[in-house]
Amino acid sequence: MIKPVSLLLLAAVLCGSCGSRTGRTAATSCDEPSARPSEYVSTLVGTHSDFTLSTGNTYPAVALPWGMNFWTPQTGKMGNGWIYVYTADKIRGFKQTHQPSPWINDYGQFSLMPLTGRPEFDENKRASWFSHKAETAKPYYYSVYLADYDVTTEITPTDRAAMFRFTFPKGDSYVVVDAFDRGSFVRVIPEENKIIGYTTRNSGGVPKNFKNYFVIVFDKPFTFCKTVVNGSMTDASEQTGDHTGAVIGFGTRRGEVVHARVASSFISFEQAQLNLQELGRNSFDRIVAQGKSAWNEAMSRIYVEGGSDDQLSTFYSCLYRSLLFPRKFYEIDARGTVVHYSPYNGKVLPGYLYTDTGFWDTFRSLFPLLNLMYPSQERLPCCRAFCLYIYILLFQKNIRNNIDFQIAGCFVIIPGRQFTGIAVQIIEHILYFQTASELFKDNNTVIFIAVKWMYVICHTKYITISVFLHDRPCFTSFGFPEDISNSKFPPCIFIFILN
């Protein structure tokens, strides 16, 4: 367990005197670090964006740190990478998402949307007006009032499941389940208050058998059941087609609360049902508290001293974004075994897998941050040997600065060629990537590999690291291969001799 690091906000963007204590509590005073860092987070930061102008290109992800599934209100049309735009005034649904960025877009998505009055599946017709004044957006909790329907929707997540809490008015109330287009399936099981289905929607680079299976269980019996295929609402209990969905309904009293428990799996319906057990018998408020605790624990690794509330909000909102990716892409089967669906061959394999990176140049900043601050997360791809893209530190031989430890020599073995470097010093563990084609163009450079072993085994005399290099720092939607022995790129062994 690494000790929390205390930071003083001195940079111009974050610094400032404490100023007035108006609005501060004892726990968030200038005299001590925040005991509840998640309360400073605004998940709406960066959502004032669109295709023509980026001020962040983010969406308000409701998730746990590194969780497999995220949830978000959806203001954009189906397939629009800009899922949620701050300037929008209508919500079309509440979507399970795995989107790293609008440019990469999404995969395995589906949505829920509450309605009143009459059933409506079309995403444009069912959209409801909302106001940011009636919206609460936290990492572990989201709430919004849908004015057209007089319905309040709340969401709180676990790693692979989530609970919805709908507060309806008096009258006929409905919930739409949209499995999206490009191939989907739904089945309504009224005797179990359940809807199951799968979506195959993705943005490319997946095996032919790719599916995200979902299970939704309500705590109120259905009095209305319909399925939808390609825009047509029918009485059939299930549908398979390009674009499928379901609409269920019930009569509600004014202020009546209905819960929907939702989970999904990239493996099977049975696994989705197992993932639903993450919610246990917990109440909605209990899951909110657990999510809040998880975020506070993760974010408390860094304590910030000084600065105003706005500056603390900026810092912790950015830290929240840094702890969303890479996401868990593994699940726990009925025997308690860790397994994952492989996006490389479509098989279910044993072991851990993480995927997705939601920012540019994560090898420069995000992965070093995770290595330094979250070493206990050993299975993150940036902390283990199966990461395809290793951070390479390239320094000119005359660089000298603050020394954490010294390298006395470096010998690199690559099939067909050799390179011997001159000793230099690593500067404050700061990592910088250069592409493989640049590594050997200048014999006056020295190559270092900076991975977790640099921090764990630096007291030993020798470090040997086998890595695979690629000619350009490119990340796919699914990230990192589980079997690098199948890589077409040549192996490279770095041997470090330490003082």
Side-chain angles (χ1 to χ4, degrees):
M1 173 71 118
I2 191 168
K3 293 182 178 179
V5 174
S6 179
L7 299 181
L8 188 62
L9 295 184
L10 296 176
V13 68
L14 295 176
C15 72
S17 63
C18 292
S20 170
R21 292 176 179 261
T22 302
R24 287 179 177 266
T25 65
T28 60
S29 70
C30 292
D31 301 324
E32 59 184 271
S34 170
R36 299 184 300 274
S38 66
E39 295 307 294
Y40 284 108
V41 175
S42 171
T43 64
L44 300 179
V45 171
T47 63
H48 197 285
S49 301
D50 58 38
F51 178 80
T52 60
L53 178 64
S54 166
T55 58
N57 282 339
T58 64
Y59 57 88
V62 190
L64 293 188
W66 306 296
M68 187 176 88
N69 301 323
F70 300 170
W71 289 88
T72 182
Q74 178 189 345
T75 64
K77 292 184 178 182
M78 180 173 56
N80 188 340
W82 281 261
I83 304 172
Y84 177 100
V85 176
Y86 190 80
T87 53
D89 57 14
K90 287 193 173 183
I91 287 177
R92 303 169 187 270
F94 300 91
K95 185 172 82 161
Q96 186 190 101
T97 178
H98 309 92
Q99 178 171 298
S101 76
W103 312 109
I104 297 175
N105 213 293
D106 211 344
Y107 63 92
Q109 61 267 50
F110 64 95
S111 70
L112 283 70
M113 180 66 180
L115 315 171
T116 57
R118 62 185 182 87
E120 182 60 70
F121 185 78
D122 182 272
E123 66 172 352
N124 295 315
K125 295 178 181 179
R126 75 184 186 222
S128 172
W129 185 88
F130 79 105
S131 168
H132 297 299
K133 293 180 179 179
E135 179 182 43
T136 301
K138 300 286 185 181
Y140 52 87
Y141 170 79
Y142 179 84
S143 173
V144 69
Y145 176 71
L146 301 175
D148 286 2
Y149 303 120
D150 192 21
V151 173
T152 297
T153 298
E154 301 168 272
I155 311 170
T156 188
T158 64
D159 281 334
R160 301 169 188 86
M163 187 180 291
F164 282 71
R165 183 164 66 185
F166 303 112
T167 303
F168 288 104
K170 181 180 179 179
D172 296 326
S173 299
Y174 306 91
V175 177
V176 171
V177 176
D178 192 336
F180 281 40
D181 61 359
R182 299 186 185 175
S184 54
F185 163 83
V186 292
R187 176 186 297 158
V188 179
I189 311 173
E191 61 272 20
E192 299 181 35
N193 303 333
K194 181 188 290 187
I195 300 172
I196 66 172
Y198 63 72
T199 174
T200 64
R201 201 179 211 283
N202 64 86
S203 301
V206 301
K208 291 182 178 180
N209 67 346
F210 170 81
K211 292 181 177 71
N212 185 23
Y213 302 88
F214 58 81
V215 175
I216 306 170
V217 180
F218 293 83
D219 62 357
K220 187 176 178 66
F222 306 156
T223 59
F224 180 93
C225 300
K226 298 287 184 179
T227 56
V228 181
V229 59
N230 302 328
S232 298
M233 195 173 296
T234 76
D235 292 325
S237 62
E238 66 179 68
Q239 296 288 353
T240 303
D242 176 68
H243 185 186
T244 67
V247 184
I248 57 91
F250 24 62
T252 54
R253 305 180 308 275
R254 180 169 182 80
E256 183 173 353
V257 172
V258 176
H259 296 90
R261 304 163 75 87
V262 187
S264 67
S265 167
F266 293 102
I267 295 173
S268 66
F269 286 121
E270 292 76 15
Q271 185 63 49
Q273 190 69 44
L274 284 173
N275 292 345
L276 193 65
Q277 295 177 9
E278 289 186 350
L279 299 174
R281 297 178 178 270
N282 293 319
S283 67
F284 183 93
D285 291 333
R286 177 61 178 164
I287 297 170
V288 170
Q290 290 174 344
K292 182 177 181 179
S293 177
W295 276 106
N296 283 335
E297 180 181 359
M299 301 178 80
S300 292
R301 293 291 181 90
I302 301 175
Y303 292 145
V304 179
E305 299 173 347
S308 66
D309 281 346
D310 284 346
Q311 291 157 354
L312 289 170
S313 180
T314 297
F315 178 83
Y316 284 116
S317 296
C318 291
L319 184 58
Y320 147 79
R321 290 285 166 197
S322 300
L323 303 185
L324 290 172
F325 299 101
R327 77 168 72 251
K328 296 171 182 174
F329 203 69
Y330 64 88
E331 305 173 48
I332 313 299
D333 69 13
R335 297 172 295 177
T337 303
V338 175
V339 294
H340 66 271
Y341 169 83
S342 170
Y344 309 105
N345 57 28
K347 298 179 180 179
V348 177
L349 301 176
Y352 295 87
L353 184 65
Y354 282 74
T355 189
D356 294 340
T357 180
F359 314 91
W360 288 105
D361 293 357
T362 46
F363 42 80
R364 299 184 192 274
S365 54
L366 175 64
F367 287 1
L369 172 69
L370 298 179
N371 272 320
L372 289 169
M373 300 311 303
Y374 301 93
S376 61
Q377 294 290 327
E378 293 179 346
R379 297 179 182 92
L380 286 174
C382 48
C383 303
R384 301 294 285 180
F386 60 75
C387 175
L388 176 60
Y389 304 102
I390 305 298
Y391 325 114
I392 298 173
L393 189 62
L394 206 90
F395 283 114
Q396 295 299 324
K397 64 180 180 180
N398 60 348
I399 290 181
R400 297 290 185 271
N401 208 316
N402 299 328
I403 304 170
D404 279 322
F405 51 86
Q406 294 185 1
I407 304 293
C410 174
F411 185 74
V412 184
I413 304 171
I414 291 184
R417 51 184 166 178
Q418 296 183 1
F419 174 83
T420 302
I422 302 174
V424 298
Q425 297 153 347
I426 293 184
I427 301 176
E428 299 179 335
H429 300 306
I430 297 175
L431 312 183
Y432 183 76
F433 184 94
Q434 294 290 339
T435 64
S437 60
E438 294 175 307
L439 294 180
F440 305 97
K441 70 180 182 182
D442 184 355
N443 287 335
N444 293 323
T445 60
V446 178
I447 303 165
F448 291 100
I449 298 296
V451 293
K452 186 178 179 186
W453 291 276
M454 279 292 187
Y455 310 110
V456 177
I457 320 177
C458 60
H459 62 278
T460 62
K461 188 174 182 181
Y462 300 99
I463 302 176
T464 302
I465 305 169
S466 298
V467 301
F468 285 75
L469 299 176
H470 192 291
D471 280 340
R472 55 194 179 91
C474 169
F475 290 90
T476 68
S477 172
F478 281 101
F480 310 95
E482 62 244 303
D483 184 5
I484 60 175
S485 65
N486 291 330
S487 172
K488 65 180 180 180
F489 309 113
C492 177
I493 300 176
F494 290 75
I495 301 176
F496 294 92
I497 304 172
L498 304 182
N499 282 342

